Amino acid sequence: MHRFVRPLALTVLAMCCGAALAAAPADQVPHGTLPRWAVPESYQLSFKVDPKQQDYSGTTTIKVDLKQAADHLWLDGRDLNVSKVTITDASGHAHDGKYVAVAPNEGVSRIDFGSTLKPQPLTLAIEYTAPLNQQLQGLYKVSHAGVPYAMTQMEPISARYAFPGFDEPGFKTPYDISLTIPSDVTAVANTKQISETAAGAGWKTLTFAKTQPLPTYLVAFAVGPWDIVNGPDIAPDDYRTEVLPLRGIAAHGEGHRMQHVLSETPSIIHTLENYYGFGYPFGKLDLLAAPDFSAGAMENPGLVTFRDWLLLLDPDSPAKYVRGSFNVTAHELAHQWTGDTVTLAWWNDIWLNEAFATWMQQKVTMKVHPEYRADLDRISGAEGAMHNDSLTSARQIRQPITGNGDIETAFDGITYQKGAAVLGMFEGYVGEDTFQKGMRAYIQAHKFGNATADDLVGAIATAANQGPTFKHAFNSFLNQSGVPYVQTRLEQKGGKTILHLSQDRYLPVGSTGDANRVWGIPVCVRYATGDGTKQSCELLDKPTGTMVLADASTPTWVMPNANARGYYRFNLSKQEWADLTQHVAALSDTEQLAYADSIDAGFRHGDLNAGDAMAALKPLTGVTTREVVVAPLETIKWIYRNEAVTDAQQTNVVAWVKDAYMPRMEQLGYQRKPGEADGDSLLRSTLASALALDFKLPEVRAALLKQGDAALAKKADGHLNLTAADPDLLGVALAVAVQERGEPALDALIAELPQTTDPALRNAMLDGLSATDTPALADKARDFSLSKQVKVGEMAAILRGNHDTSAARDALWHWFTGHYDQVVARTGSFAGGRLPALAGGGGCSKAEADRLQAYFEPRLKDVTGADRGLAQTREQTLLCAALKAKQDPSKI
Ligand SMILES: [Zn+2]
């Protein structure tokens, strides 16, 4: 990276203040954090925005505490056309300054004062214009049913596109926001509106109440002809004396579909307030359904924004949307405490926001909707993260930030799911009540300020009366990557039953990593004795350890991860595996998930062949818990895709699948039954998708094709009859129809998508568009993904299809490299980390890894975060190839 030292303005310095101020900073362009000698204390943000136009204007006024003599200061601003800078000093004297975009690709800018100023409070007023962003960042433009809206998404470092400022989480200040907008539209922001005044012909100015101290990334507002609907007021409780008003904000015509989520919200807020012992502090709460959005949702205090399909629900909405809506709402509202009230000090601690919101969301869901089984979600989520965490290129939970790419790629499964699992593990270790005590103290100590990992770990350790060993154990999961691999071995010695434990890093076949790594793992085992089961726990913080079991006789079986509370995988001797498999029905459903994961881990580690893995997983498919029933699917899909080469092998795998799942599929049928449990609807949709699309079972495809054909038939009004299919199965039915009917089906979807605003129907059509299985049709769908008819946030859904066979991946590769610039132009730099997986995900040969490397290497410097995406996709491709080479095809 190009760095330079800025020459001192010596003459000005001499004129101004003499030798005493010769300390004016001879600093370099800050590429990480901004220097702390100029600190913002408050902002006034004024915007003039008409969503119909391409640009907007703004004036940002910042009170800054200049802590040392300087002739300039550093701040962030990107793609801003600054016309005027006014600096007012402590005595009230105002003069012009200059705005210089020093590192435009990072958004680092400098304000030159024109002379050296002594330390004092300053007021900067910066007037500028900027384009309404087209890539869902900063202040961006979207449209719904052809009508434009403007809204914001600042996290992590996109506030600098919307206004100049100190765009780092460590700077928290109050904001006063005012919006001048066309008279015929409305606007919302973080806080309540406090005034409306006329602002010339056709314009009005809305002013909003001063915010609590916030970092730049939590500032939010939205302008357009929004529907605003009232939800139920949230009553005061032990921790909040004022009524909390609740509203839903949606694009025009969609507001009535917010009632379901609004009705769920009060119980979420009360649960969080009771847990933290701290009332919701942001005065009002609006939930906004965004017509287009880069993430899933964003926790802006007072104005939480979501992808529209998470909020716009009907009585017949797919079950996964209804559950997803609750889970994501609980996650975003949990952030109002961890993230918004207490904010990370710097991006290396983004887990303090995201791991906690994920962990807390699961707690809320367990309380309000226990039937959603958020405890199982946490385990499945952690096991998903373990796949990524087994890569040598995996991030740590606390990953040092070496550039903006590390900030952009920090929002991954390691931060969210691994983070939540690690919290759950140490919560289990100290006890839930003790952990809560620590959390309450942490929120009180850092409210409206910032915190680091040490603050959090310290608060929990204090509450639990724990010392350095505990902190060291906790930190061992935060500050190093990888999944611990715990091996157990039973021994009878001196009349006692001893369980020998050892740990190293789990690394799959083909990995070049070093397995020699030690964590402080709270290991809990459950084992069967003559009179039921018992549990025994130990903090394993050395490479090896032992546990003396309470029972003198050898247990019938040992489950090395009791209740699946530990973030680790386990391995057993052949005999102990056999014992456990034989008694797998005696395990809790949480433990059955850990069992499934460790079988998969053993397969990918080379300890089990495909036939062994299939046999060991089979008993799980007969249990009652949905999450356990489907847990083996990913392993079986891998075997089917990559190992079952001959017809006979394919037949064997398909026979396993049919035997395991067809009875359940037939029992569920292909239509939702009146009043059925939503878990049944979810199981129907998971099984239908796997059986029809992955394993191509003709009878399932035929049933879905019938629904797909019915959905593609035109109604009298010329629209497709999309509601003719079961709502949970519409996406997979359209996918089968596209594969069976070919181009006419694809064309029908391409024609219908632009005429459909319903987000659930749009998503189902995207499923259909991504399911093409010939190169020509796939190219047609991909070309369509680049058109304006497909929203920016929808494009990847089409490109993610077609990765299953090497022929399909070759065709995708050809198209992708031919359209690379257009893809990047649409997504912007924010999605850079995901580009390599979009181009080469699912690869399973060295040739694919090599072409990915050769193509992206020279492009890395232009796309933030792509380097980590490349390293991980490449490594996954090589690992898949190594596992494939290791297989003995006779063992299926
Ligand atoms: Zn979050």
Side-chain angles (χ1 to χ4, degrees):
M1 200 173 293
H2 178 71
R3 296 170 76 95
F4 70 93
V5 181
R6 202 172 156 263
L8 279 175
L10 286 173
T11 48
V12 175
L13 189 126
M15 253 166 44
C16 154
C17 321
L21 290 180
D27 54 351
Q28 298 181 321
V29 181
H31 292 288
T33 56
L34 295 167
R36 261 43 191 177
W37 45 263
V39 177
E41 301 204 309
S42 69
Y43 287 75
Q44 263 181 300
L45 302 179
S46 303
F47 298 91
K48 186 172 186 183
V49 189
D50 178 355
K52 290 197 195 71
Q53 295 177 2
Q54 299 306 314
D55 299 292
Y56 66 96
S57 60
T59 301
T60 295
T61 307
I62 317 175
K63 284 203 181 339
V64 178
D65 183 12
L66 186 67
K67 291 174 181 289
Q68 67 178 49
D71 63 353
H72 68 281
L73 58 74
W74 300 99
L75 45 60
D76 301 295
R78 197 164 173 179
D79 292 357
L80 307 176
N81 306 304
V82 173
S83 54
K84 188 171 174 58
V85 176
T86 308
I87 298 158
T88 307
D89 65 19
S91 63
H93 175 71
H95 68 279
D96 287 350
K98 194 172 159 204
Y99 174 92
V100 187
V102 179
N105 289 338
E106 295 166 58
V108 179
S109 300
R110 197 182 65 228
I111 301 280
D112 289 338
F113 303 153
S115 62
T116 295
L117 302 176
K118 62 182 185 185
Q120 60 184 303
L122 298 177
T123 302
L124 305 179
I126 304 167
E127 297 170 36
Y128 63 99
T129 61
L132 283 169
N133 190 285
Q134 302 288 333
Q135 297 165 333
L136 315 181
Q137 298 177 67
L139 175 54
Y140 69 89
K141 182 167 175 157
V142 288
S143 72
H144 178 83
V147 179
Y149 296 76
M151 60 174 289
T152 56
Q153 168 59 30
M154 308 302 198
E155 195 183 25
I157 49 172
S158 292
R160 61 193 64 183
Y161 285 100
F163 60 91
F166 296 73
D167 192 12
E168 283 177 24
F171 295 116
K172 289 181 82 170
T173 81
Y175 288 78
D176 287 291
I177 299 174
S178 74
L179 300 170
T180 300
I181 59 174
S183 309
D184 58 349
V185 300
T186 184
V188 288
N190 294 99
T191 50
K192 285 178 191 165
Q193 183 185 319
I194 49 174
S195 74
E196 174 178 332
T197 52
W203 294 88
K204 63 185 177 186
T205 297
L206 309 185
T207 314
F208 298 87
K210 189 183 289 297
T211 68
Q212 294 278 15
L214 302 180
T216 43
Y217 82 85
L218 289 175
V219 170
F221 56 91
V223 181
W226 302 104
D227 278 357
I228 300 184
V229 298
N230 289 324
D233 282 343
I234 306 178
D237 57 22
D238 289 350
Y239 306 102
R240 178 170 42 78
T241 53
E242 303 285 316
V243 166
L244 173 60
L246 171 67
R247 303 187 302 178
I249 319 289
H252 183 66
E254 306 289 349
H256 66 281
R257 303 176 68 198
M258 303 268 309
Q259 287 309 330
H260 176 79
V261 69
L262 292 174
S263 73
E264 295 271 31
T265 302
S267 58
I268 300 175
I269 290 290
H270 287 306
T271 305
L272 289 161
E273 290 179 323
N274 285 327
Y275 185 84
Y276 286 115
F278 191 91
Y280 174 89
F282 299 112
K284 62 102 174 167
L285 178 57
D286 291 338
L287 308 181
L288 182 145
D292 199 359
F293 204 62
S294 58
M298 179 64 210
E299 67 267 22
N300 314 298
L303 177 58
V304 185
T305 47
F306 297 76
R307 278 200 187 214
D308 50 6
W309 62 262
L310 286 163
L311 298 188
L312 304 179
L313 298 173
D314 300 317
D316 63 348
S317 287
K320 68 176 174 188
Y321 288 23
V322 179
R323 266 198 200 196
S325 171
F326 185 87
N327 287 336
V328 176
T329 306
H331 176 103
E332 302 309 327
L333 295 181
H335 270 308
Q336 306 297 310
W337 284 260
T338 50
D340 297 2
T341 301
V342 180
T343 305
L344 72 167
W346 177 235
W347 295 110
N348 63 339
D349 268 327
I350 185 62
W351 76 286
L352 285 177
N353 286 14
E354 299 302 349
F356 273 94
T358 306
W359 163 83
M360 192 65 209
Q361 167 243 302
Q362 289 154 350
K363 227 173 221 324
V364 171
T365 306
M366 281 305 281
K367 183 117 188 152
V368 181
H369 280 294
E371 76 280 13
Y372 288 1
R373 295 302 307 270
D375 53 338
L376 299 179
D377 283 352
R378 182 182 296 166
I379 297 164
S380 306
E383 290 171 355
M386 285 178 189
H387 281 293
N388 180 278
D389 207 10
S390 304
L391 303 176
T392 58
S393 52
R395 289 177 58 260
Q396 302 161 197
I397 292 180
R398 296 191 78 216
Q399 180 71 30
I401 302 293
T402 59
N404 286 353
D406 287 325
I407 298 174
E408 306 276 17
T409 57
F411 296 78
D412 69 352
I414 299 298
T415 296
Y416 287 69
Q417 280 78 26
K418 178 181 180 181
V422 167
L423 291 175
M425 175 167 68
F426 284 99
E427 180 190 25
Y429 183 70
V430 301
E432 293 189 12
D433 291 346
T434 303
F435 201 87
Q436 181 184 18
K437 208 169 111 198
M439 286 306 298
R440 284 183 167 205
Y442 167 80
I443 298 283
Q444 275 300 336
H446 303 284
K447 60 188 174 199
F448 307 120
N450 296 91
T452 66
D454 283 347
D455 296 324
L456 183 278
V457 174
I460 303 298
T462 302
N465 207 11
Q466 294 274 348
T469 305
F470 172 82
K471 290 186 188 176
H472 186 74
F474 209 137
N475 282 319
S476 74
F477 281 89
L478 303 180
N479 296 329
Q480 62 184 348
S481 64
V483 186
Y485 202 30
V486 174
Q487 325 251 346
T488 65
R489 183 173 57 81
L490 280 168
E491 189 190 17
Q492 285 293 337
K493 203 173 172 186
K496 288 180 178 163
T497 307
I498 298 179
L499 191 67
H500 293 273
L501 304 167
S502 67
Q503 61 163 311
D504 57 7
R505 181 179 182 186
Y506 173 82
L507 293 172
V509 169
S511 175
T512 56
D514 180 2
N516 190 11
R517 198 168 277 190
V518 177
W519 289 263
I521 316 167
V523 173
C524 283
V525 306
R526 205 154 72 84
Y527 54 96
T529 66
D531 52 346
T533 66
K534 288 186 177 147
Q535 191 169 309
S536 181
C537 297
E538 191 85 46
L539 186 71
L540 177 66
D541 58 2
K542 308 235 162 23
T544 60
T546 54
M547 208 182 252
V548 180
L549 303 187
D551 216 66
S553 58
T554 305
T556 330
W557 51 265
V558 176
M559 171 58 189
N561 192 355
N563 298 316
R565 194 110 203 195
Y567 183 80
Y568 55 88
R569 292 174 150 164
F570 62 82
N571 196 12
L572 304 167
S573 70
K574 232 179 164 49
Q575 183 56 49
E576 287 164 25
W577 266 125
D579 293 340
L580 194 59
T581 301
Q582 199 191 334
H583 295 94
V584 73
L587 302 179
S588 67
D589 48 17
T590 52
E591 290 166 343
Q592 287 169 339
L593 284 184
Y595 168 89
D597 174 73
S598 282
I599 293 289
D600 182 76
F603 170 64
R604 291 173 197 272
H605 196 257
D607 304 331
L608 300 172
N609 64 43
D612 293 340
M614 286 164 67
L617 291 170
K618 191 67 180 294
L620 299 178
T621 63
V623 307
T624 48
T625 308
R626 174 182 63 87
E627 291 84 348
V628 176
V629 170
V630 300
L633 275 172
E634 286 307 313
T635 316
I636 307 300
K637 280 183 202 171
W638 192 94
I639 293 169
Y640 182 71
R641 228 177 257 166
N642 297 302
E643 196 186 337
V645 184
T646 66
D647 286 350
Q649 289 163 345
Q650 297 236 337
T651 307
N652 282 348
V653 179
V654 169
W656 187 103
V657 169
K658 270 178 123 162
D659 189 47
Y661 295 118
M662 267 319 279
R664 196 73 66 113
M665 189 73 237
E666 282 162 3
Q667 182 197 350
L668 289 164
Y670 295 89
Q671 288 288 347
R672 194 190 289 182
K673 299 179 177 72
E676 79 176 9
D678 74 331
D680 284 350
S681 313
L682 291 170
L683 183 59
R684 175 183 297 113
S685 117
T686 307
L687 289 184
S689 172
L691 299 180
L693 301 179
D694 294 300
F695 301 107
K696 313 251 183 250
L697 297 192
E699 55 271 53
V700 181
R701 289 176 70 84
L704 291 165
L705 182 59
K706 228 184 264 176
Q707 295 199 17
D709 283 345
L712 290 173
K714 280 198 174 163
K715 296 184 291 185
D717 64 2
H719 283 288
L720 301 185
N721 192 15
L722 295 171
T723 52
D726 179 86
D728 295 295
L729 298 183
L730 177 62
V732 59
L734 293 175
V736 171
V738 164
Q739 291 175 354
E740 295 292 332
R741 306 298 184 210
E743 195 152 18
L746 186 70
D747 288 344
L749 293 177
I750 288 175
E752 185 74 12
L753 190 81
Q755 306 179 51
T756 310
T757 55
D758 183 298
L761 297 180
R762 286 184 73 94
N763 285 353
M765 286 191 273
L766 295 172
D767 288 346
L769 289 165
S770 71
T772 50
D773 55 1
T774 68
L777 290 190
D779 277 1
K780 192 169 186 178
R782 290 173 194 135
D783 287 344
F784 179 59
S785 80
L786 294 176
S787 77
K788 280 236 174 319
Q789 314 287 9
V790 175
K791 296 176 182 181
V792 173
E794 293 174 335
M795 181 179 72
I798 295 178
L799 300 183
R800 268 197 298 266
N802 300 293
H803 288 233
D804 285 1
T805 64
S806 70
R809 291 194 295 273
D810 287 349
L812 167 65
W813 181 257
H814 184 75
W815 181 91
F816 194 95
T817 51
H819 296 81
Y820 179 79
D821 290 341
Q822 287 136 285
V823 173
V824 174
R826 274 212 101 189
T827 55
S829 59
F830 184 77
R834 294 174 220 148
L835 285 176
L838 221 45
C844 203
S845 67
K846 183 166 181 309
E848 287 174 279
D850 288 347
R851 76 180 174 192
L852 192 74
Q853 181 75 22
Y855 187 80
F856 273 97
E857 182 99 56
R859 292 171 171 80
L860 294 180
K861 60 183 187 315
D862 301 322
V863 201
T864 316
D867 48 353
R868 188 178 307 284
L870 171 61
Q872 296 199 341
T873 308
R874 179 174 177 277
E875 188 179 352
Q876 275 159 346
T877 304
L878 291 171
L879 289 176
C880 181
L883 183 59
K884 194 171 171 175
K886 157 109 190 155
Q887 300 305 312
D888 175 353
S890 69
K891 294 291 198 281
I892 301 183

